Amino acid sequence: MFGTRLRKTRPHAGDDRCVADLVAALGVERVRSDGAARLLASTDASIFRGGAAGPVCFPDSTPQVQACVRIAAVHRRPVVARGAGSGLTGAAAPLGSAVVVSTTRMNRVLEVDVENRTAWVGPGVINLDLTHHLGPHGLHFAPDPSSQQVCTIGGNVANNSGGPHCLAYGVTSAHILAMEVVLSDGEVVMLGGLDAEPAGYDLRGAFIGSEGMFGIATRIAVRLTPDPPAVRTLLLSFADVDSAAATVGAIIAAGLVPAAVEMMDRRCVEAVEDFVHAGYPRDAEAVLLIDVDGMAGGVEAQATKVDEIARGLGGRVRVAADEEERQLLWKGRKSAFGAIARIKPDYYLHDTVVPRGKLVEVLRAIHEIVDRHGLLVLNVFHAGDGNLHPIIAYDSRQPGMSEKVREAGREIIEVSLAAGGVLSGEHGIGVEKRDFMPLMFSDDDLDQQARLRGAFDGLCMMNPGKVLPSPHSCSDITELTEAKGDLWG
Amino acid sequence: MGLIRSPESDPILVDFASEIGSVGPVVVRGGGTHWDLGGGSDPAAREVRPPEGIVGIRAEEMTVEARAGTLVSELHEALRPFGQRTSLPESPGSTVGGTLAVGWSGIARLGRGQTRDSVLQVHYVSAEGRLITAGGPTVKNVSGFDMCRLLVGSLGTLGCMADMILRTRPIPEVEVWHRVVDVDPAEVLRRCRTSASILWDGRSTWVLSAGYRADVDSDLRALSELGSLRPDHPPDLPPIRWSRRPSDLFDMSRADAAVGRFVAEIGVGVVHTENPVEPSPPSPGTVALQRRIKDALDPTGRFNPGRRVGGI
């Protein structure tokens, strides 16, 4: 069974000495080498299962992270940093019996500087906790992935995470000023800075989105965004998907940049209604959930324009009357994945981006692909920036089903790229899409990315086997036999 | 086999790549508006002109593709009928590629965002003379490592930029400059959300208000309660530009007289002065890492020799 296979349950040869060294450096309470800890750290939120994790370390300071990395190097073991494990591409699933460095103890908001609108945080701080912490100051951290109740800021940095409100505010890279990073040789460097335009190459920008392969961030300076004084939420419903997609295009063409434009198709609406009763219209083929925010005048002007565009394209418009209704409408969106889990035991959540103008065409193609394979697809996605999230719900216990889902996934990638899109909008590459990278990049392109990786980690010991397909990935430090597999086994 | 458009499909880019070639020191000269930055170029380096021209305006995607030698002013002129522009600052003669190579944002960064965040895809020529694609054409993309951010501000020392896709932004309904005297610029920052730029010279504050009419009017009423307000143009900027933390700017009026006249970008941290100030040195570990990146991407040091980026 793809979902449960563990390729390697035996500890790595020499594991005892490695564990002993880690315990000596960190203390016995910060190192776990039991089977349960290894099993928990062997996977992320995707269906991928890596090799068994090596010992799992829980450092609470930069020097302790340095110690983990140095000891791993002595024992010729790779290192995999781990936040909440909520990633969806297998990027945090260790290959080759890696020493896992969990950031969960480094979970303090270290300093909030209201005047400069910045905060220093540990990498293990949970995204939503940070925003709650900042509430009294009227500030928040703008990236809001759907997993924000569990995902960490360190993980957001590793994945350059997005979220519904990145349409107007930008993804994680636009909200990180500086990072203290432990490199694979144990050295500590400060990337970026708190001043307006730090000198030198933008190492900060290069590090963000490197999926744990460039080093481990141990302190992160985030940019804080003032809370908007006004926000209005509109729920638009349409008799067909084409009209909903056309509305998205017309909104952008009218020069509006709503804070969020989310789309859900009928199947998804039904699943959500059965689950949380958010009050979405069950008779609609597609709904758009839109936030406009800012000052009162702009909010009014944008809401009026969105209303006009939607009605002109045959849509029905409901405006949340108060905060309670607003929260309920958003609860529907944020519960979508939970709702889908009630339909089938397994689901495969995809993530590609296409030009906004190609949404209708690509959605049609996705339906065609999925129908041809006899599968069930639900769509809930960031329509405003063309970031598709088709969700294929299935039962992996049925023979041949996983293979069909896998094949459909590959075809979805191909139609997205052929439409002028990209492999991933916010989940990243990890193991899931590593072997698809040549569809988007030439050998020369990948060689440049491999050189950048080599400059950060010449030892190839930070999270090896991810992002870059062979032969662009180096695997000299460890037995990466497992890395030859892909997401599916 | 790639499924997306290859840079090789544009013969102008192919010509540019062959002109860059794979041997010998070379420097790409855009508008030359900041030619002495980073210590100036080695005269031994062969000068190459970047390819020019707007490749495509995709207004409904809010993106635009232009070759590196396109003037920023020309790009913005072409985008204006669509009610859009980019975050890139305009100065007379400056090119899109040159602006990215320098990496500076404009004085309206507060409202228009940073130059570095506007870059979606770059086609550049590698030290081996190959055409490389960094990033992707869509407004959101996390496929592979972020080479685009690395190229912005690299002063042409890592690759020769040929063509780029930039994110555009809507031009606000209203944009208007005012000058206010004897106000605390920090108070302007706190109270006026429509401020796309707040410039302060120690006495006067210039504010670019940008947004919807009703919001700008509301902010201007708030501003007039703070001090006397009149329409104005932004001030001339002194020639030296340096970078500080935003809160450091408020100490400028007490600062060493050696800096001379200054104009500070409030809420951003950039300050323009008459006289240079010693910048703080980067940390040694970072210098070594930057050196490794330079050596990895340009092993023979042929790109823009003599020019120093940051501490290397």
Side-chain angles (χ1 to χ4, degrees):
Chain A
M1 206 62 61
F2 291 108
T4 51
R5 183 186 332 171
L6 259 183
R7 287 197 186 76
K8 191 169 179 181
T9 49
R10 260 183 315 111
H12 186 273
D15 199 61
D16 291 349
R17 289 196 304 278
C18 180
V19 170
D21 286 354
L22 288 166
V23 167
L26 272 66
V28 69
E29 72 282 10
R30 293 191 187 87
V31 181
R32 285 190 60 184
S33 57
D34 56 286
R38 289 174 194 262
L39 190 64
L40 279 173
S42 71
T43 174
D44 61 3
S46 75
I47 50 183
F48 180 71
R49 299 292 179 269
V56 186
C57 306
F58 298 89
D60 56 22
S61 68
T62 302
Q64 287 185 4
V65 173
Q66 284 179 285
C68 293
V69 170
R70 286 185 168 137
I71 290 166
V74 166
H75 293 273
R76 297 186 59 75
R77 301 277 289 269
V79 173
V80 175
R82 182 179 182 84
S86 55
L88 292 160
T89 65
L95 302 170
S97 306
V99 170
V100 174
V101 176
S102 166
T103 58
T104 48
R105 280 185 182 230
M106 303 175 82
N107 62 349
R108 286 190 304 280
V109 177
L110 304 165
E111 182 194 334
V112 177
D113 180 345
V114 174
E115 187 177 13
N116 285 304
R117 293 176 181 164
T118 60
W120 278 105
V121 304
V125 169
I126 290 171
N127 177 299
L128 194 59
D129 287 355
L130 175 58
T131 283
H132 285 156
H133 186 92
L134 297 165
H137 302 293
L139 299 166
H140 68 284
F141 180 61
D144 59 341
S146 295
S147 56
Q148 72 176 143
Q149 293 187 22
V150 293
C151 68
T152 62
I153 303 296
N156 295 165
V157 166
N159 288 293
N160 195 9
S161 299
H165 291 84
C166 289
L167 176 56
Y169 293 97
V171 294
T172 298
S173 181
H175 300 279
I176 301 296
L177 298 170
M179 288 160 294
E180 177 188 79
V181 167
V182 175
L183 298 175
S184 62
D185 59 5
E187 191 170 7
V188 177
V189 291
M190 182 63 75
L191 312 183
L194 299 181
D195 59 319
E197 284 170 348
Y201 297 132
D202 186 6
L203 304 177
R204 172 211 67 88
F207 185 89
I208 295 168
S210 62
E211 304 196 14
M213 295 172 71
F214 287 8
I216 302 177
T218 48
R219 281 195 305 145
I220 302 165
V222 300
R223 179 197 306 283
L224 306 178
T225 303
D227 296 343
V231 55
R232 197 168 302 172
T233 299
L234 297 92
L235 184 73
L236 317 180
S237 50
F238 298 87
D240 56 276
V241 173
D242 293 14
S243 303
T247 299
V248 174
I251 288 170
I252 302 295
L256 302 178
V257 183
V261 178
E262 301 285 298
M263 196 193 289
M264 295 166 83
D265 65 9
R266 183 185 190 125
R267 280 179 186 149
C268 194
V269 165
E270 285 172 351
V272 164
E273 277 306 300
D274 290 344
F275 188 40
V276 294
H277 314 294
Y280 291 3
R282 286 174 181 270
D283 59 341
E285 282 301 317
V287 301
L288 292 174
L289 184 64
I290 296 182
D291 261 5
V292 290
D293 72 8
M295 291 175 67
V299 166
E300 185 62 40
Q302 292 183 77
T304 304
K305 190 74 190 167
V306 168
D307 183 287
E308 184 188 311
I309 290 169
R311 288 181 199 278
L313 288 163
R316 283 177 292 160
V317 179
R318 175 176 149 199
V319 182
D322 51 28
E323 184 59 21
E324 192 183 351
E325 188 178 0
R326 208 181 86 70
Q327 292 296 343
L328 185 62
L329 291 177
W330 271 102
K331 186 180 175 190
R333 166 64 183 86
K334 293 191 172 177
S335 309
F337 301 133
I340 287 158
R342 290 158 46 102
I343 299 177
K344 296 274 184 185
D346 303 291
Y347 68 80
Y348 176 43
L349 170 57
H350 221 301
D351 167 48
T352 65
V353 188
V354 299
R356 287 179 270 237
K358 297 284 180 69
L359 274 176
V360 171
E361 176 188 324
V362 176
L363 282 170
R364 276 203 195 118
I366 290 172
H367 277 280
E368 186 276 317
I369 291 165
V370 170
D371 288 349
R372 184 158 36 77
H373 288 283
L375 297 166
L376 175 69
V377 69
L378 298 88
N379 281 291
V380 46
F381 61 97
H382 313 308
D385 37 31
N387 190 180
L388 294 168
H389 286 317
I391 303 166
I392 302 175
Y394 68 107
D395 184 345
S396 62
R397 293 167 300 189
Q398 291 177 359
M401 194 53 79
S402 295
E403 287 75 9
K404 282 185 185 177
V405 174
R406 175 189 194 178
E407 177 58 20
R410 187 185 61 77
E411 291 178 33
I412 288 170
I413 287 174
E414 287 174 358
V415 299
S416 299
L417 291 182
V422 299
L423 285 171
S424 173
E426 53 188 18
H427 295 174
I429 300 299
V431 180
E432 180 199 13
K433 289 178 176 164
R434 179 192 61 199
D435 296 336
F436 293 116
M437 286 284 276
L439 295 178
M440 187 168 159
F441 295 109
S442 71
D443 277 351
D444 289 328
D445 302 342
L446 293 171
D447 176 60
Q448 293 274 303
Q449 295 188 33
R451 291 189 202 190
L452 175 61
R453 186 269 185 107
F456 274 91
D457 176 16
L459 302 171
C460 292
M461 63 177 279
M462 307 305 285
N463 203 13
K466 313 294 169 61
V467 182
L468 297 174
S470 173
H472 301 282
S473 97
C474 51
S475 53
D476 51 349
I477 186 171
T478 179
E479 323 129 19
L480 280 180
T481 48
E482 293 96 328
K484 286 180 186 142
D486 66 12
L487 186 71
W488 299 87
Chain B
M1 192 53 66
L3 280 175
I4 66 165
R5 188 171 61 87
S6 157
E8 319 272 346
S9 65
D10 182 348
I12 296 176
L13 300 196
V14 173
D15 286 350
F16 177 62
S18 62
E19 206 179 337
I20 297 294
S22 58
V23 287
V26 64
V27 57
V28 180
R29 187 182 178 105
T33 54
H34 296 86
W35 196 243
D36 295 328
L37 205 62
S41 190
D42 186 333
R46 182 164 51 91
E47 248 182 54
V48 175
R49 305 296 300 192
E52 295 171 16
I54 296 168
V55 179
I57 293 173
R58 291 182 275 272
E60 73 288 358
E61 304 299 329
M62 300 200 74
T63 64
V64 62
E65 180 166 8
R67 298 194 192 97
T70 311
L71 294 176
V72 178
S73 56
E74 183 192 333
L75 184 71
H76 286 171
E77 197 62 43
L79 284 166
R80 188 167 302 130
F82 300 94
Q84 298 177 12
R85 71 169 157 235
T86 73
S87 300
L88 271 54
E90 265 180 58
S91 56
S94 65
T95 61
V96 174
T99 303
L100 296 191
V102 168
W104 290 348
S105 299
I107 54 169
R109 170 172 152 180
L110 209 50
R112 293 179 198 166
Q114 297 197 71
T115 290
R116 73 183 184 200
D117 293 333
S118 69
V119 185
L120 301 173
Q121 178 182 285
V122 177
H123 289 138
Y124 65 98
V125 181
S126 71
E128 291 76 28
R130 308 289 293 179
L131 271 169
I132 306 294
T133 302
T138 55
V139 291
K140 202 172 179 190
N141 173 29
V142 291
S143 314
F145 302 137
D146 195 349
M147 304 295 292
C148 289
R149 248 38 63 195
L150 191 63
L151 290 168
V152 176
S154 67
L155 295 179
T157 60
L158 300 178
C160 297
M161 288 189 271
D163 156 287
M164 44 281 292
I165 297 178
L166 305 174
R167 177 194 291 274
T168 64
R169 313 167 59 89
I171 297 172
E173 190 176 290
V174 180
E175 285 187 299
V176 57
W177 279 98
H178 283 86
R179 179 179 182 171
V180 215
V181 288
D182 297 330
V183 297
D184 175 1
E187 193 64 18
V188 177
L189 180 64
R190 266 193 298 275
R191 291 187 49 172
C192 302
R193 282 182 68 100
T194 61
S195 304
S197 181
I198 303 171
L199 305 177
W200 179 62
D201 71 355
R203 291 180 303 279
S204 293
T205 304
W206 288 263
V207 183
L208 174 63
S209 306
Y212 288 93
R213 166 78 58 195
D215 298 335
V216 168
D217 286 349
S218 143
D219 268 1
L220 291 179
R221 280 194 297 277
L223 262 183
S224 63
E225 285 164 17
L226 292 174
S228 82
L229 183 72
R230 64 179 171 81
D232 199 4
H233 297 289
D236 289 335
L237 302 176
I240 314 286
R241 184 180 197 277
W242 38 292
S243 169
R244 285 291 179 268
R245 296 182 65 172
S247 57
D248 293 343
L249 302 183
F250 301 116
D251 297 328
M252 287 299 300
S253 56
R254 290 195 299 275
D256 193 336
V259 300
R261 187 174 80 89
F262 74 89
V263 173
E265 298 182 20
I266 299 300
V268 172
V270 170
V271 61
H272 308 260
T273 62
E274 289 294 343
N275 305 318
V277 173
E278 193 64 33
S280 44
S283 75
T286 307
V287 171
L289 179 55
Q290 297 197 57
R291 171 52 64 192
R292 290 202 297 274
I293 288 173
K294 168 71 175 170
D295 291 345
L297 296 178
D298 180 19
T300 62
R302 62 185 295 249
F303 284 158
N304 211 350
R307 194 94 56 181
R308 293 160 60 87
V309 179
I312 72 163

